[in-house]
Amino acid sequence: MDKANLDIVIKNAIEYAKAYENTGMVASYIPELKNADKNALGVCIAANNKKIYKAGDCETLFTMQSISKVVSLILALQTVGKEKVFSKVWVEPTGDAFNSLVRLETHTHIPLNPMINAGAIAVAGVIDAEFPFSRFLAFMRRLCGREDICLNERVYLSEKASGMKNRAIAYMLASEGVLERDVEQTLDFYFKMCSVNVTAVDLARIGSILANDGVDIFTGERLIESEYALIAKTLMVTCGMYDGSGEFAIKVGIPAKSGVGGGIMCCVEDNFGIAVYGPSLDAKGNSVWGLKVLEYLSKELKLHYFAGSKIREYI
Ligand code: GLU
């Protein structure tokens, strides 16, 4: 395959996606998220030739929401290790909505995986740091190579005020001994990590670190241990796109994590990180146009894990 011109490919991906009717809705259960522009769409690729390719709304700040679950999982693994983390959360897909608490009672009191709210709240409770959010923010700044990554105070307060279901999950976890620390403090950290502002470029950079076994291709520095990058990517494959993970695996076939702020962070092993921002969501919580963009890129660049590695020579 000829080396693709990624600038042109991502512009075409945006055009392809926008040709589809925008049938989704901006998330509104966290009231502050309603203010996003339904028709925004940005795509960024952070590639191993140290170039950033981008088109559309790539400078727009939006909150990470569930994408923060990948980062908090890695931070938990780094601070307390695998054994402790996986004594609080399993690694199995649920097929349920991201904020479901039904299986905590009917199946097991240990959340099924770290990519759903229950699992991420359990993970938030084990991170070993005096000020977990400061630690999370410092880690995010290193991952994104940007010192001014910060909290979106309005979204945080909005989520804190409206997050009754997450509160129910956390108290249920505490009642079963899964959460050992102060429940409100753990929830506060969880709401804050979901409310960190990023751009598509930031998420593409994190995706590229995961694609490169934990090494930041832009600085040469290892920021994530190889084993933890592998765990994060595997969970992104099996559970990263909510209860749409199976369909996404067939149609796109790359590790990805979605958030209700409209972001999707992905990685293509040894090649690049991809991020899409499109806040109009389908019923499962995935960006409607974001999915179309990724379907296009996967087909055009033969990104699917089963497309064969020999043809992955774009840059
Ligand atoms: N902060 C959101 C919540 O807890 C994250 C949901 C998501 O992006 O999936 O409901």
Side-chain angles (χ1 to χ4, degrees):
M1 181 184 162
D2 287 342
K3 287 188 182 185
N5 181 333
L6 292 180
D7 276 318
I8 293 177
V9 175
I10 59 177
K11 278 196 189 106
N12 290 346
I14 288 185
E15 231 172 78
Y16 171 85
K18 285 199 162 181
Y20 283 83
E21 193 190 344
N22 191 347
T23 49
M25 305 239 286
V26 171
S28 58
Y29 75 100
I30 300 171
E32 193 62 27
L33 295 182
K34 268 197 298 226
N35 300 326
D37 171 8
K38 181 179 175 193
N39 292 314
L41 184 60
V43 184
C44 178
I45 291 182
N48 275 19
N49 59 1
K50 301 192 186 179
K51 281 197 187 144
I52 301 278
Y53 301 87
K54 57 183 175 169
D57 299 294
C58 283
E59 312 306 327
T60 306
L61 287 167
F62 58 95
T63 50
M64 296 177 82
Q65 297 302 330
S66 263
I67 299 168
S68 64
K69 292 168 179 160
V70 176
V71 178
S72 62
L73 171 66
I74 293 167
L75 193 56
L77 290 166
Q78 288 179 337
T79 60
V80 295
K82 253 188 336 187
E83 213 172 301
K84 177 78 182 177
V85 171
F86 294 122
S87 71
K88 299 291 184 186
V89 67
W90 289 5
V91 290
E92 304 304 336
T94 67
D96 298 324
F98 62 91
N99 57 357
S100 173
L101 42 71
V102 66
R103 285 178 193 240
L104 291 179
E105 202 160 42
T106 59
H107 184 68
T108 162
H109 56 270
I110 306 254
L112 276 167
N113 72 70
M115 300 292 135
I116 53 172
N117 289 12
I121 292 169
V123 167
V126 297
I127 290 175
D128 188 21
E130 198 181 347
F131 300 106
F133 182 63
S134 307
R135 184 82 183 257
F136 179 88
L137 206 51
F139 189 38
M140 275 297 293
R141 288 174 177 164
R142 290 188 74 201
L143 292 172
C144 301
R146 196 157 76 78
E147 273 308 301
D148 52 349
I149 293 275
C150 63
L151 178 71
N152 182 324
E153 191 82 27
R154 294 173 70 99
V155 173
Y156 156 62
L157 292 174
S158 180
E159 179 158 359
K160 195 176 165 96
S162 59
M164 295 311 161
K165 196 136 183 212
N166 286 326
R167 241 173 227 112
I169 290 173
Y171 279 97
M172 208 148 158
L173 293 176
S175 77
E176 297 290 350
V178 178
L179 274 190
E180 294 169 21
R181 301 215 188 104
D182 182 88
V183 181
E184 287 301 326
Q185 274 177 20
T186 302
L187 275 166
D188 193 64
F189 166 48
Y190 172 78
F191 293 142
K192 279 185 173 157
M193 70 182 214
C194 290
S195 305
V196 168
N197 260 345
V198 288
T199 64
V201 179
D202 295 321
L203 293 184
R205 280 197 62 151
I206 304 179
S208 124
I209 295 169
L210 289 170
N212 287 292
D213 193 39
V215 173
D216 183 344
I217 207 81
F218 293 87
T219 62
E221 207 182 342
R222 173 170 290 285
L223 297 178
I224 303 169
E225 295 73 357
S226 176
E227 187 186 12
Y228 300 157
L230 183 143
I231 291 172
K233 283 182 282 194
T234 308
L235 285 165
M236 287 162 74
V237 169
T238 53
C239 320
M241 300 298 286
Y242 306 123
D243 41 336
S245 297
E247 194 181 340
F248 184 85
I250 289 174
K251 287 189 175 160
V252 181
I254 55 176
K257 181 73 198 90
S258 181
V260 295
I264 305 177
M265 175 177 86
C266 319
C267 47
V268 178
E269 200 65 5
D270 295 326
N271 275 283
F272 42 65
I274 310 176
V276 183
Y277 169 60
S280 184
L281 310 177
D282 65 17
K284 292 182 173 170
N286 292 314
S287 167
V288 173
W289 279 349
L291 291 175
K292 291 289 169 209
V293 162
L294 292 168
E295 279 171 34
Y296 181 91
L297 291 177
S298 176
K299 202 159 173 228
E300 199 62 21
L301 299 171
K302 299 192 173 55
L303 303 182
H304 198 286
Y305 357 82
F306 304 126
S309 56
K310 279 196 214 124
I311 46 180
R312 287 200 198 135
E313 288 166 9
Y314 321 112
I315 48 173

